[in-house]
Amino acid sequence: MNILGIETSCDETALALLSVQDGNFSLSKNLVSSQIDLHAKYGGVVPEVAARAHTETIFPLLQEAGLNPDGSEVDVIAVTCGPGLLPALRIGLELGKTLAFVWHKPLVAVNHLEGHLYSPWLSSGHPQFPALALIVSGGHTELVLFKDHLAYEVIGATRDDAAGEAFDKVAKLLGLGYPGGPAISQQAAQGDPAAIDFPRPMLESGDFDFSFSGLKTAAAVYLKENPGAPVADVAASFQQAVVETLVQKTLSAVKKHQPKSVILGGGVSANPLLRETLQQSLKETYPDVTYHAPDLEFTGDNAAMIAAAGYFHAQDRRFVDPVKLIARPNLPLA
Ligand code: KG4
Ligand code: ZN
């Protein structure tokens, strides 16, 4: 089965053609056009600016993909329908609906977070069910019980800022620009993670929820009281607090729910300390649980992961009517 994936929920315009044969996933096209430079001057993503950029980019990207004009190599079209920025989501959605309509191809609607959950299927060694997934992105921080294909239960989520959002805000305080996650992890590599004792929020809360706004405030207060503090030390100590919190909560969820696999996904899964600490702690504490993080090229937003999730929708014949499909900016995972 060949799946055309389309993703425009935030600041990446992306198209991919994924082929799935006998359980093997192979990508013949994977195009991502990032708008990071465009949004950097505003210090964050401006929805209408993002939508305009998607409009300008999506057809050139489709041309670049070089698909047969009659759509003959595509069996199914998979498009992100939410969550995300409404004007941005609409651009990809309209392309997907139009192609499905004129090519007479089945259409599936994918939740963006499902895409992150399915990103490890783009690499070898697929997760086993039941799995536990930690999704950490710019908009979401969720612990998800991934019971079987397309069967999710959210067991914890952030009560305020998402982990990526906290990275972005603290980077801004440190004058590191947007997006902040990669800048903080680069600075952190030269800093001392034990230099500042930032709080580990919600570790004693007895549930699987997160909260990162207090940690962001702690960083702001520290910087105000210590104006000359070395940026690398603040970055390393902040990163250490976020990673320890994410890993500890994930381990408690593994203890309670006994999954066969743990999945890490979302933009923050590019963070080297998070990838390594989670892998190492699982290996030490739960050696039988397999660990799956996406390859670095699939940590951020892309259409390959949307096509991968779309494949399972199509297998389950969850087709949607292109005439009726609308963007759902607040679409929950389950
Ligand atoms: O999944 P994603 O590309 O977009 C959303 O769906 O939100 O995630 C983007 C987030 C941003 O907040 C960015 O700062 C963060 O991922 N990020 C990182 C790293 N690379 C990207 N956070 C920490 N460390 C990184 N290396
Ligand atoms: Zn994302």
Side-chain angles (χ1 to χ4, degrees):
M1 185 190 292
N2 293 328
I3 307 104
L4 173 66
I6 305 172
E7 156 66 40
T8 63
S9 67
C10 190
D11 59 349
E12 261 89 30
T13 320
L15 293 177
L17 190 62
L18 174 74
S19 168
V20 185
Q21 305 291 347
D22 302 323
N24 291 316
F25 288 64
S26 72
L27 266 178
S28 52
K29 301 185 196 306
N30 184 31
L31 304 175
V32 182
S33 168
S34 172
Q35 305 172 4
I36 280 178
D37 295 346
L38 193 62
H39 299 291
K41 61 173 180 277
Y42 303 108
V45 181
V46 182
E48 287 300 336
V49 174
R52 178 186 287 214
H54 287 309
T55 311
E56 287 168 0
T57 312
I58 201 153
F59 281 96
L61 216 58
L62 187 62
Q63 275 178 317
E64 193 184 330
L67 302 174
N68 296 338
D70 61 357
S72 53
E73 77 239 81
V74 174
D75 299 310
V76 178
I77 297 167
V79 63
T80 306
C81 66
L85 308 170
L86 178 63
L89 285 164
R90 277 186 182 141
I91 312 302
L93 213 59
E94 291 309 316
L95 176 67
K97 289 162 60 169
T98 307
L99 291 178
F101 195 78
V102 299
W103 284 346
H104 301 287
K105 301 287 178 183
L107 180 66
V108 294
V110 173
N111 182 305
H112 179 79
L113 299 180
E114 268 187 305
H116 284 304
L117 285 171
Y118 273 103
S119 56
W121 269 263
L122 298 164
S123 320
S124 55
H126 298 166
Q128 286 179 289
F129 295 115
L132 175 82
L134 173 67
I135 302 295
V136 270
S137 72
H140 293 85
T141 303
E142 295 193 357
L143 270 169
V144 179
L145 262 186
F146 194 176
K147 298 172 187 172
D148 201 345
H149 287 300
L150 309 177
Y152 321 106
E153 183 189 339
V154 178
I155 58 167
T158 183
R159 296 189 182 171
D160 40 58
D161 292 355
E165 197 178 350
F167 270 98
D168 294 339
K169 287 178 175 169
V170 171
K172 209 171 187 175
L173 292 173
L174 291 170
L176 295 175
Y178 174 86
I184 290 208
S185 53
Q186 271 164 20
Q187 282 290 328
Q190 272 94 52
D192 174 7
I196 307 151
D197 189 17
F198 284 132
R200 271 60 173 157
M202 308 278 291
L203 276 190
E204 307 302 327
S205 67
D207 57 21
F208 300 120
D209 283 348
F210 302 93
S211 162
F212 290 108
S213 78
L215 182 52
K216 172 196 67 192
T217 307
V221 169
Y222 182 85
L223 284 169
K224 205 167 174 193
E225 288 171 356
N226 303 272
V231 169
D233 284 350
V234 180
S237 304
F238 166 77
Q239 177 180 258
Q240 188 68 31
V242 175
V243 167
E244 268 181 33
T245 307
L246 292 171
V247 170
Q248 284 308 318
K249 284 262 166 167
T250 307
L251 290 181
S252 323
V254 171
K255 186 175 180 191
K256 175 158 184 204
H257 293 282
Q258 309 268 311
K260 289 188 179 144
S261 299
V262 166
I263 296 171
L264 177 65
V268 184
S269 72
N271 186 277
L273 185 71
L274 176 59
R275 292 171 79 91
E276 285 153 27
T277 312
L278 185 55
Q279 179 168 33
Q280 209 44 46
S281 336
L282 274 171
K283 210 164 138 186
E284 283 161 17
T285 324
Y286 301 102
D288 297 335
V289 176
T290 63
Y291 171 71
H292 307 264
D295 291 344
L296 281 178
E297 66 172 313
F298 303 120
T299 54
D301 291 346
N302 64 83
M305 67 184 194
I306 302 303
Y311 166 73
F312 293 99
H313 279 252
Q315 285 285 84
D316 206 41
R317 305 198 64 76
R318 297 193 184 192
F319 302 119
V320 295
D321 180 350
V323 178
K324 294 188 183 147
L325 183 63
I326 56 163
R328 308 260 316 266
N330 299 313
L331 182 68
L333 180 62

